[in-house]
Structures are given as structure tokens and as C-alpha cells.
Amino acid sequence: MQELVASRKMGRERTIVSQLRDALLELIKQRDMQLGEKLPSEERLTEHFGVSRPALREALKVLEQDGIIRTEHGRGRFLMAGAALHIDRPITTFESVTEMVGGFGYETTTRLLSVKTLDADAEIAAGLHCAEGTPVLRIERVRSEGKRPILYSLDFIRVDTVGPGHASIDWEGSVVQTLRRRGMAPVASTANVSATSLPQEAQENGSLFDFGPVLLVTETCFTAEGVPVLFAKDYHHGKYFTFSFARR
């Protein structure tokens, strides 16, 4: 798949699995495949897209989790009713905050409020699947479009995950991309979404007193091997973000 290879060479942050998922959906659309129709074999799809079979299987697994396809062992993969439900930005698709913000069409700047080393409390320890008291980095940032703050973020990473030299990292950039460069790429997450208000500490530290109602996405991000590498609390300005999903 030339587009996928080009995207990787250009350093874009979307993972190969995310790109493959979208490419598979586009193929389904182009071929006007119908409910119950069988997808091409793994061999044909890997040849068509020019990717490895493990990467293709991960993308197909995502489509299965989204209710787009079903797998019948010994027979193949078939379209489900979910294929007819078009969700431009499904909340079930894993992507970094940088990818998500860009997908909404926002061109943002990032303001780094603080980077601290602290001992994991009960919430952080549960999020990172580690013992309370484990040393973690706490990265506090605000993303703005122009002069409008639209996203307040708290990211927590175990110090031993980042390794030595973490003080020299430019944390204004993508945290997910930083982890990818260190061989700890997040590819999936478990998340909760709730309506809330910005914490008082955030209002004071970031001068965000007029931020307004927020959608809080709290998630733990995992590598392909199932290692939890990032615990994040992202407060999305309720005026600028909506999340879509399909119910089946």
C-alpha cells in the first residue's frame, strides 16, 4: 500500500494499523460490498495493500471489535450490519491526542505547564497497573487553537518506561510519538468518558478560569504486547469536541 508506506516515511503519527483499518473501510465502500458478503482472503488483502499479515490481522481485529465484520473460522470474514453505519471519527478507534485534534480540523499550539516526578497514588497506580509509590512523570499541558484553550491534558508515565534523560525530552510534542521512538508504542487503550468541570488546580495553573464544561476521557494505553505505558486524563472543551459511536 503506497499511501501507508509514504505516511510512515513522512513521519505521520497514525499507526499502520489505524491506516489499514481506514483503507479496509475504503475498499469495502469502493467495492460496494453488501451485508453478509465475504471479504477477500488475507493473502489477497496483504498483496493488495503491500503489508505484513500480522498488521493486517490487527486491523481486521479492530473492524471486528467495531462490529463491521465477523469471523467464521474455516470460512472467512463477512460484513455485518455495522458496515452500513458510517462514523467519521469513532470513539472506539485508538489515536493519539495529536491525531484526534488534527482530525477535528484544529491547528493547535501546546503550552507545557509542568513536568513533575512523583509517587503514583491509588488512581495512577491503577491506571498504569503498578504499585502505589512507583515513580512516575506527570506531564501537564494545554492545547489551544489561536487564543482559545480547547484541551487540558494530564499524562502519567512510569519513570522506568521513559528511562534516563527524560528531563531533556520536549514534552510539548506528542507523548505517544515520544513513546514510539523509544520502542514503547501505544496501539490500544481502555477508556472512560464523563462530563465534568475542569479541576481547580488546572484553572489556576493554566489560567483557565473560563474554560467551561468538559468531556473527560480517562484512559490507559497499551503496547501491542499488552504493556500499560501511559495513563492519561484529557479534558476536552465541551464546545469544540463531540465523540461519535454506533450502538449495536
Side-chain angles (χ1 to χ4, degrees):
M1 176 189 286
Q2 294 180 348
E3 293 85 355
L4 294 182
V5 175
S7 293
R8 294 177 74 187
K9 289 182 177 178
M10 291 172 65
R12 294 179 185 172
E13 296 183 355
R14 297 190 61 210
T15 66
I16 190 73
V17 173
S18 297
Q19 295 177 62
L20 265 174
R21 173 196 176 277
D22 291 348
L24 284 163
L25 287 174
E26 184 61 26
L27 180 67
I28 290 169
K29 180 180 178 181
Q30 289 177 354
R31 296 190 178 184
D32 194 24
M33 298 180 68
Q34 303 300 309
L35 175 64
E37 189 171 344
K38 185 178 179 180
L39 268 67
S41 66
E42 287 187 7
E43 183 178 4
R44 292 185 62 184
L45 289 172
T46 53
E47 290 177 356
H48 178 80
F49 293 123
V51 296
S52 68
R53 187 162 290 191
L56 175 71
R57 286 176 176 171
E58 285 297 316
L60 289 169
K61 186 184 299 183
V62 173
L63 290 183
E64 189 168 3
Q65 292 170 347
D66 287 344
I68 305 297
I69 64 175
R70 74 176 189 278
T71 299
E72 294 186 13
H73 295 290
R75 294 193 60 211
R77 296 178 175 88
F78 301 83
L79 283 190
M80 293 180 63
L85 303 176
H86 178 67
I87 303 296
D88 287 329
R89 304 199 61 76
I91 196 170
T92 50
T93 300
F94 175 79
E95 57 187 352
S96 71
V97 170
T98 300
E99 295 167 348
M100 181 274 297
V101 170
F104 274 93
Y106 298 131
E107 296 183 5
T108 62
T109 56
T110 301
R111 178 161 54 107
L112 182 64
L113 299 181
S114 66
V115 179
K116 301 176 181 178
T117 302
L118 47 79
D119 295 335
D121 60 16
E123 180 187 27
I124 298 169
L128 288 174
H129 299 197
C130 63
E132 290 187 44
T134 300
V136 298
L137 289 178
R138 176 187 183 272
I139 305 158
E140 180 186 23
R141 302 180 299 173
V142 173
R143 295 176 191 253
S144 301
E145 186 182 52
K147 296 182 178 180
R148 302 178 303 173
I150 62 174
L151 180 66
Y152 171 79
S153 297
L154 290 174
D155 294 307
F156 301 91
I157 307 171
R158 287 175 53 162
V159 170
D160 59 7
T161 295
V162 185
H166 58 77
S168 62
I169 296 175
D170 177 14
W171 292 112
E172 289 188 355
S174 169
V175 170
V176 169
Q177 184 64 23
T178 296
L179 290 170
R180 285 176 184 159
R181 288 194 295 266
R182 291 172 177 261
M184 300 293 286
V187 299
S189 70
T190 57
N192 292 309
V193 181
S194 58
T196 185
S197 299
L198 206 60
Q200 185 65 31
E201 179 186 9
Q203 297 181 43
E204 296 172 354
N205 292 351
S207 299
L208 303 173
F209 299 102
D210 298 323
F211 198 83
V214 301
L215 287 173
L216 168 61
V217 178
T218 303
E219 65 180 333
T220 297
C221 305
F222 301 85
T223 66
E225 295 73 30
V227 178
V229 290
L230 174 64
F231 176 59
K233 301 183 72 171
D234 296 314
Y235 296 81
H236 303 74
H237 196 305
K239 181 178 179 180
Y240 302 109
F241 293 98
T242 59
F243 297 100
S244 301
F245 57 92
R247 299 180 67 185
R248 302 181 179 91

mmCIF file of all heavy atoms in Angstrom, residues 178-185 223 225:
data_model
loop_
_atom_site.group_PDB
_atom_site.id
_atom_site.type_symbol
_atom_site.label_atom_id
_atom_site.label_comp_id
_atom_site.label_asym_id
_atom_site.label_seq_id
_atom_site.Cartn_x
_atom_site.Cartn_y
_atom_site.Cartn_z
ATOM 1 N N THR A 178 6.689 10.198 21.262
ATOM 2 C CA THR A 178 7.891 10.019 22.071
ATOM 3 C C THR A 178 8.035 8.570 22.510
ATOM 4 O O THR A 178 9.125 7.987 22.450
ATOM 5 C CB THR A 178 7.842 10.944 23.314
ATOM 6 O OG1 THR A 178 7.865 12.306 22.884
ATOM 7 C CG2 THR A 178 9.030 10.698 24.232
ATOM 8 N N LEU A 179 6.937 7.961 22.937
ATOM 9 C CA LEU A 179 6.976 6.566 23.345
ATOM 10 C C LEU A 179 7.281 5.654 22.153
ATOM 11 O O LEU A 179 7.993 4.652 22.288
ATOM 12 C CB LEU A 179 5.654 6.174 23.994
ATOM 13 C CG LEU A 179 5.385 6.797 25.371
ATOM 14 C CD1 LEU A 179 3.953 6.527 25.810
ATOM 15 C CD2 LEU A 179 6.371 6.266 26.408
ATOM 16 N N ARG A 180 6.759 5.994 20.986
ATOM 17 C CA ARG A 180 7.054 5.202 19.793
ATOM 18 C C ARG A 180 8.555 5.213 19.492
ATOM 19 O O ARG A 180 9.138 4.176 19.161
ATOM 20 C CB ARG A 180 6.285 5.748 18.587
ATOM 21 C CG ARG A 180 4.805 5.422 18.593
ATOM 22 C CD ARG A 180 4.100 6.078 17.430
ATOM 23 N NE ARG A 180 2.664 5.849 17.498
ATOM 24 C CZ ARG A 180 1.752 6.587 16.883
ATOM 25 N NH1 ARG A 180 2.133 7.621 16.142
ATOM 26 N NH2 ARG A 180 0.472 6.323 17.004
ATOM 27 N N ARG A 181 9.162 6.383 19.584
ATOM 28 C CA ARG A 181 10.596 6.471 19.301
ATOM 29 C C ARG A 181 11.418 5.651 20.270
ATOM 30 O O ARG A 181 12.539 5.245 19.953
ATOM 31 C CB ARG A 181 11.042 7.936 19.329
ATOM 32 C CG ARG A 181 10.561 8.768 18.144
ATOM 33 C CD ARG A 181 11.310 10.080 18.054
ATOM 34 N NE ARG A 181 11.041 10.934 19.196
ATOM 35 C CZ ARG A 181 10.099 11.871 19.218
ATOM 36 N NH1 ARG A 181 9.335 12.059 18.155
ATOM 37 N NH2 ARG A 181 9.926 12.615 20.291
ATOM 38 N N ARG A 182 10.899 5.397 21.456
ATOM 39 C CA ARG A 182 11.605 4.624 22.465
ATOM 40 C C ARG A 182 11.196 3.157 22.477
ATOM 41 O O ARG A 182 11.484 2.422 23.417
ATOM 42 C CB ARG A 182 11.391 5.262 23.841
ATOM 43 C CG ARG A 182 12.096 6.604 23.954
ATOM 44 C CD ARG A 182 11.769 7.372 25.213
ATOM 45 N NE ARG A 182 12.546 8.607 25.246
ATOM 46 C CZ ARG A 182 13.664 8.778 25.932
ATOM 47 N NH1 ARG A 182 14.136 7.800 26.683
ATOM 48 N NH2 ARG A 182 14.319 9.921 25.893
ATOM 49 N N GLY A 183 10.484 2.750 21.422
ATOM 50 C CA GLY A 183 10.123 1.347 21.290
ATOM 51 C C GLY A 183 8.978 0.905 22.174
ATOM 52 O O GLY A 183 8.795 -0.288 22.404
ATOM 53 N N MET A 184 8.185 1.870 22.675
ATOM 54 C CA MET A 184 7.054 1.548 23.556
ATOM 55 C C MET A 184 5.778 2.143 22.979
ATOM 56 O O MET A 184 5.043 2.865 23.648
ATOM 57 C CB MET A 184 7.312 2.090 24.969
ATOM 58 C CG MET A 184 8.550 1.538 25.630
ATOM 59 S SD MET A 184 8.430 -0.229 25.998
ATOM 60 C CE MET A 184 7.314 -0.193 27.393
ATOM 61 N N ALA A 185 5.490 1.846 21.727
ATOM 62 C CA ALA A 185 4.379 2.481 21.019
ATOM 63 C C ALA A 185 3.024 2.035 21.541
ATOM 64 O O ALA A 185 2.717 0.838 21.529
ATOM 65 C CB ALA A 185 4.478 2.171 19.528
ATOM 66 N N THR A 223 0.864 -1.174 24.809
ATOM 67 C CA THR A 223 1.622 -1.577 23.630
ATOM 68 C C THR A 223 0.972 -2.811 23.017
ATOM 69 O O THR A 223 0.041 -3.394 23.576
ATOM 70 C CB THR A 223 3.078 -1.917 24.000
ATOM 71 O OG1 THR A 223 3.083 -3.094 24.841
ATOM 72 C CG2 THR A 223 3.741 -0.766 24.744
ATOM 73 N N GLU A 225 2.128 -5.609 22.974
ATOM 74 C CA GLU A 225 2.373 -6.735 23.875
ATOM 75 C C GLU A 225 1.515 -6.682 25.130
ATOM 76 O O GLU A 225 1.619 -7.546 26.000
ATOM 77 C CB GLU A 225 3.854 -6.788 24.275
ATOM 78 C CG GLU A 225 4.821 -7.071 23.137
ATOM 79 C CD GLU A 225 5.004 -5.892 22.202
ATOM 80 O OE1 GLU A 225 4.880 -4.732 22.663
ATOM 81 O OE2 GLU A 225 5.255 -6.125 21.001
#
